[in-house]
Amino acid sequence: MEKVYTCFTTDVIHEGHLNIINKAREYGEVIIGVLSDEAMVKFDRFPAIPFEERMKMIKSVPGVDQVIKQDDIMYDRVIEKIRPDYVIHGDNWLSGATKAIRDNVEGLLTEYGGKIIDVPYTYNENVRRIDAKMREKLAMPEFRRKRLNRLLQLRPIVKALEVHSGITGLIAEKTVVSHDGMLDQFDAMWISSLCDSTAKGKPDIELVDMTSRFRTIEDVTEVTTKPIIFDGDTGGLTEHFVYTVRSLERLGVSAVIIEDKTGLKKNSLFGTEVEQTQDSIEHFCEKIAAGKKVQLTDDFMIIARIESLILERGMEDALTRARAFVKAGADGIMIHSRKKDPAEILEFCDKFRAEDKKTPIVVVPTSFNTITEEELAQHGVNIVIYANQLTRSAFPAMEETAKEILRCHRAKEVDDKLMPIKDIISLIDTL
Ligand code: SPV
Ligand code: MG
């Protein structure tokens, strides 16, 4: 009997999947691959139910002969193992980023005469409703909040992109690229104080108040499902920070990063060019401990950001602070630098990792931007934040468009550089 293979990345079996199974049965023995949690998170979205349950669910579907684990989004290993005569899939993979997967399968099957069967993708009101229910499960605060912790276990390095609005949230949520025969996307979002302030035309000095920052979080959570890391600046007064922790948990934020500065905070990338005061170890530890004491949920993380390298206080000071902040309850350490050379960041990571194997390390490679994610991961970094690149790319584009309209006294000349209205509309989901 001939073998027909397909891979499911779903949490719910609906008529679209049944349709594929029924079609597959016409060709032979039906083998279904269930994508592992790691692979699903990397290429698609978070599974709403864990791998073992997805496996069980698919085994119980009538007409399925065999269920196996597929642990990579590309089919090389699975095809080598079972050599199916056919691979069957919804025809939605004929275009978009998932076309890279179809190309991969086609290349592998051609080597021994296997064939692809593209089945018309089922999209109706019922399927749409099931999809929406699943998204709801991913977007709700109690589900979203715990996902950063899970990602830290599943990903070699968690990649977060700066967002400050619904539209930038959608870019972090939906951008997928295929390159080097793989698919890639961002894992999480960073709500930067710099970019949230800049979007409002304000300086990054804790001037934009928490009510307004929370509003930004809501704009983002309304249209996305990925976990959020919030830039909490200094955390403010300890007496205020405890309320901030509760509000962030309620909003479904996974982590807040607070920096060990006090008084009028200015953006770290100014370094010692402006006056900035580092908080005492004792006082900052009290703030961390107070935040940990009031948090209600297990998964919420308070990450301590160390400014010693920014303020040129030396490596020893940074390491002493890291030890103290972890002891006070910090769930992670962010180490920052404004040097172009990543050497001091790597030195910190190596020394910290030598004595602490598990506390997550976060870095923001804005200045030391030549280093790759892979190299950072090799030095024990767990989260990399691309903290301001969206804002810095949008601003010159908008300014140039404004200038060109002024120069030409009409908008025709700028049109070629603009996103078609149709594309921007299709980025936005309607209910
Ligand atoms: C931010 O994005 O607001 C940050 C990171 O705090 S940095 O601007 O590098 O200080
Ligand atoms: Mg900031």
PDB file of all heavy atoms in Angstrom, residues 251-268:
ATOM      1  N   LEU A 251      -2.667  43.119  32.773  1.00  0.00           N
ATOM      2  CA  LEU A 251      -2.716  43.385  31.327  1.00  0.00           C
ATOM      3  C   LEU A 251      -2.153  42.213  30.514  1.00  0.00           C
ATOM      4  O   LEU A 251      -2.214  42.224  29.290  1.00  0.00           O
ATOM      5  CB  LEU A 251      -1.917  44.651  31.002  1.00  0.00           C
ATOM      6  CG  LEU A 251      -2.564  45.976  31.425  1.00  0.00           C
ATOM      7  CD1 LEU A 251      -1.533  47.098  31.402  1.00  0.00           C
ATOM      8  CD2 LEU A 251      -3.724  46.317  30.517  1.00  0.00           C
ATOM      9  N   GLY A 252      -1.560  41.234  31.188  1.00  0.00           N
ATOM     10  CA  GLY A 252      -1.022  40.071  30.462  1.00  0.00           C
ATOM     11  C   GLY A 252       0.425  40.239  30.049  1.00  0.00           C
ATOM     12  O   GLY A 252       0.939  39.464  29.233  1.00  0.00           O
ATOM     13  N   VAL A 253       1.111  41.249  30.605  1.00  0.00           N
ATOM     14  CA  VAL A 253       2.539  41.439  30.310  1.00  0.00           C
ATOM     15  C   VAL A 253       3.323  40.322  30.998  1.00  0.00           C
ATOM     16  O   VAL A 253       2.994  39.916  32.111  1.00  0.00           O
ATOM     17  CB  VAL A 253       2.991  42.840  30.812  1.00  0.00           C
ATOM     18  CG1 VAL A 253       4.501  42.988  30.784  1.00  0.00           C
ATOM     19  CG2 VAL A 253       2.314  43.934  29.976  1.00  0.00           C
ATOM     20  N   SER A 254       4.386  39.836  30.337  1.00  0.00           N
ATOM     21  CA  SER A 254       5.150  38.712  30.901  1.00  0.00           C
ATOM     22  C   SER A 254       6.287  39.161  31.792  1.00  0.00           C
ATOM     23  O   SER A 254       6.673  38.445  32.716  1.00  0.00           O
ATOM     24  CB  SER A 254       5.768  37.875  29.775  1.00  0.00           C
ATOM     25  OG  SER A 254       4.770  37.399  28.929  1.00  0.00           O
ATOM     26  N   ALA A 255       6.889  40.307  31.464  1.00  0.00           N
ATOM     27  CA  ALA A 255       8.068  40.740  32.230  1.00  0.00           C
ATOM     28  C   ALA A 255       8.176  42.254  32.224  1.00  0.00           C
ATOM     29  O   ALA A 255       7.799  42.909  31.257  1.00  0.00           O
ATOM     30  CB  ALA A 255       9.333  40.146  31.615  1.00  0.00           C
ATOM     31  N   VAL A 256       8.685  42.794  33.328  1.00  0.00           N
ATOM     32  CA  VAL A 256       9.038  44.218  33.354  1.00  0.00           C
ATOM     33  C   VAL A 256      10.543  44.281  33.590  1.00  0.00           C
ATOM     34  O   VAL A 256      11.090  43.495  34.371  1.00  0.00           O
ATOM     35  CB  VAL A 256       8.255  44.986  34.450  1.00  0.00           C
ATOM     36  CG1 VAL A 256       8.557  44.474  35.863  1.00  0.00           C
ATOM     37  CG2 VAL A 256       8.553  46.493  34.392  1.00  0.00           C
ATOM     38  N   ILE A 257      11.196  45.199  32.884  1.00  0.00           N
ATOM     39  CA  ILE A 257      12.628  45.416  33.129  1.00  0.00           C
ATOM     40  C   ILE A 257      12.772  46.785  33.789  1.00  0.00           C
ATOM     41  O   ILE A 257      12.285  47.787  33.251  1.00  0.00           O
ATOM     42  CB  ILE A 257      13.447  45.360  31.822  1.00  0.00           C
ATOM     43  CG1 ILE A 257      13.296  43.984  31.151  1.00  0.00           C
ATOM     44  CG2 ILE A 257      14.916  45.669  32.105  1.00  0.00           C
ATOM     45  CD1 ILE A 257      14.189  43.730  29.955  1.00  0.00           C
ATOM     46  N   ILE A 258      13.384  46.805  34.968  1.00  0.00           N
ATOM     47  CA  ILE A 258      13.624  48.102  35.606  1.00  0.00           C
ATOM     48  C   ILE A 258      15.124  48.332  35.736  1.00  0.00           C
ATOM     49  O   ILE A 258      15.889  47.398  35.974  1.00  0.00           O
ATOM     50  CB  ILE A 258      12.912  48.246  36.980  1.00  0.00           C
ATOM     51  CG1 ILE A 258      13.193  47.068  37.905  1.00  0.00           C
ATOM     52  CG2 ILE A 258      11.420  48.449  36.789  1.00  0.00           C
ATOM     53  CD1 ILE A 258      12.705  47.284  39.336  1.00  0.00           C
ATOM     54  N   GLU A 259      15.536  49.599  35.562  1.00  0.00           N
ATOM     55  CA  GLU A 259      16.968  49.905  35.545  1.00  0.00           C
ATOM     56  C   GLU A 259      17.403  50.535  36.862  1.00  0.00           C
ATOM     57  O   GLU A 259      16.629  51.269  37.492  1.00  0.00           O
ATOM     58  CB  GLU A 259      17.323  50.783  34.345  1.00  0.00           C
ATOM     59  CG  GLU A 259      16.589  52.085  34.244  1.00  0.00           C
ATOM     60  CD  GLU A 259      16.713  52.719  32.846  1.00  0.00           C
ATOM     61  OE1 GLU A 259      17.693  53.439  32.646  1.00  0.00           O
ATOM     62  OE2 GLU A 259      15.835  52.492  31.997  1.00  0.00           O
ATOM     63  N   ASP A 260      18.673  50.272  37.227  1.00  0.00           N
ATOM     64  CA  ASP A 260      19.146  50.710  38.549  1.00  0.00           C
ATOM     65  C   ASP A 260      19.626  52.167  38.512  1.00  0.00           C
ATOM     66  O   ASP A 260      20.772  52.464  38.807  1.00  0.00           O
ATOM     67  CB  ASP A 260      20.225  49.757  39.093  1.00  0.00           C
ATOM     68  CG  ASP A 260      21.449  49.641  38.204  1.00  0.00           C
ATOM     69  OD1 ASP A 260      21.430  50.179  37.078  1.00  0.00           O
ATOM     70  OD2 ASP A 260      22.439  49.013  38.633  1.00  0.00           O
ATOM     71  N   LYS A 261      18.716  53.053  38.116  1.00  0.00           N
ATOM     72  CA  LYS A 261      19.019  54.485  38.136  1.00  0.00           C
ATOM     73  C   LYS A 261      18.001  55.173  39.036  1.00  0.00           C
ATOM     74  O   LYS A 261      16.933  54.632  39.328  1.00  0.00           O
ATOM     75  CB  LYS A 261      18.973  55.061  36.717  1.00  0.00           C
ATOM     76  CG  LYS A 261      20.189  54.631  35.908  1.00  0.00           C
ATOM     77  CD  LYS A 261      20.482  55.483  34.695  1.00  0.00           C
ATOM     78  CE  LYS A 261      19.435  55.524  33.657  1.00  0.00           C
ATOM     79  NZ  LYS A 261      19.942  55.331  32.294  1.00  0.00           N
ATOM     80  N   THR A 262      18.307  56.378  39.438  1.00  0.00           N
ATOM     81  CA  THR A 262      17.399  57.106  40.312  1.00  0.00           C
ATOM     82  C   THR A 262      17.418  58.587  39.934  1.00  0.00           C
ATOM     83  O   THR A 262      18.296  59.025  39.194  1.00  0.00           O
ATOM     84  CB  THR A 262      17.782  56.865  41.801  1.00  0.00           C
ATOM     85  OG1 THR A 262      16.789  57.405  42.631  1.00  0.00           O
ATOM     86  CG2 THR A 262      19.138  57.467  42.150  1.00  0.00           C
ATOM     87  N   GLY A 263      16.450  59.328  40.402  1.00  0.00           N
ATOM     88  CA  GLY A 263      16.363  60.747  40.043  1.00  0.00           C
ATOM     89  C   GLY A 263      15.857  60.880  38.624  1.00  0.00           C
ATOM     90  O   GLY A 263      15.156  60.001  38.124  1.00  0.00           O
ATOM     91  N   LEU A 264      16.245  61.981  37.968  1.00  0.00           N
ATOM     92  CA  LEU A 264      15.766  62.187  36.597  1.00  0.00           C
ATOM     93  C   LEU A 264      16.486  61.226  35.654  1.00  0.00           C
ATOM     94  O   LEU A 264      17.669  61.376  35.353  1.00  0.00           O
ATOM     95  CB  LEU A 264      16.013  63.637  36.154  1.00  0.00           C
ATOM     96  CG  LEU A 264      15.534  63.946  34.734  1.00  0.00           C
ATOM     97  CD1 LEU A 264      14.025  63.754  34.578  1.00  0.00           C
ATOM     98  CD2 LEU A 264      15.944  65.342  34.312  1.00  0.00           C
ATOM     99  N   LYS A 265      15.726  60.209  35.180  1.00  0.00           N
ATOM    100  CA  LYS A 265      16.299  59.213  34.278  1.00  0.00           C
ATOM    101  C   LYS A 265      16.406  59.782  32.877  1.00  0.00           C
ATOM    102  O   LYS A 265      15.496  60.443  32.400  1.00  0.00           O
ATOM    103  CB  LYS A 265      15.395  57.975  34.245  1.00  0.00           C
ATOM    104  CG  LYS A 265      15.950  56.840  33.449  1.00  0.00           C
ATOM    105  CD  LYS A 265      14.911  56.163  32.573  1.00  0.00           C
ATOM    106  CE  LYS A 265      14.742  56.907  31.247  1.00  0.00           C
ATOM    107  NZ  LYS A 265      14.357  56.013  30.129  1.00  0.00           N
ATOM    108  N   LYS A 266      17.538  59.555  32.230  1.00  0.00           N
ATOM    109  CA  LYS A 266      17.659  59.916  30.807  1.00  0.00           C
ATOM    110  C   LYS A 266      18.020  58.645  30.054  1.00  0.00           C
ATOM    111  O   LYS A 266      18.456  57.669  30.663  1.00  0.00           O
ATOM    112  CB  LYS A 266      18.728  60.989  30.610  1.00  0.00           C
ATOM    113  CG  LYS A 266      18.479  62.214  31.503  1.00  0.00           C
ATOM    114  CD  LYS A 266      19.034  63.483  30.910  1.00  0.00           C
ATOM    115  CE  LYS A 266      18.714  64.682  31.773  1.00  0.00           C
ATOM    116  NZ  LYS A 266      19.789  65.078  32.663  1.00  0.00           N
ATOM    117  N   ASN A 267      17.846  58.678  28.752  1.00  0.00           N
ATOM    118  CA  ASN A 267      18.105  57.472  27.973  1.00  0.00           C
ATOM    119  C   ASN A 267      19.569  57.035  28.110  1.00  0.00           C
ATOM    120  O   ASN A 267      20.486  57.851  28.067  1.00  0.00           O
ATOM    121  CB  ASN A 267      17.768  57.723  26.492  1.00  0.00           C
ATOM    122  CG  ASN A 267      17.895  56.460  25.685  1.00  0.00           C
ATOM    123  OD1 ASN A 267      18.970  56.119  25.209  1.00  0.00           O
ATOM    124  ND2 ASN A 267      16.809  55.722  25.582  1.00  0.00           N
ATOM    125  N   SER A 268      19.760  55.723  28.249  1.00  0.00           N
ATOM    126  CA  SER A 268      21.096  55.178  28.512  1.00  0.00           C
ATOM    127  C   SER A 268      22.079  55.450  27.388  1.00  0.00           C
ATOM    128  O   SER A 268      23.289  55.477  27.607  1.00  0.00           O
ATOM    129  CB  SER A 268      21.013  53.664  28.697  1.00  0.00           C
ATOM    130  OG  SER A 268      20.241  53.375  29.811  1.00  0.00           O
TER     131      SER A 268
END
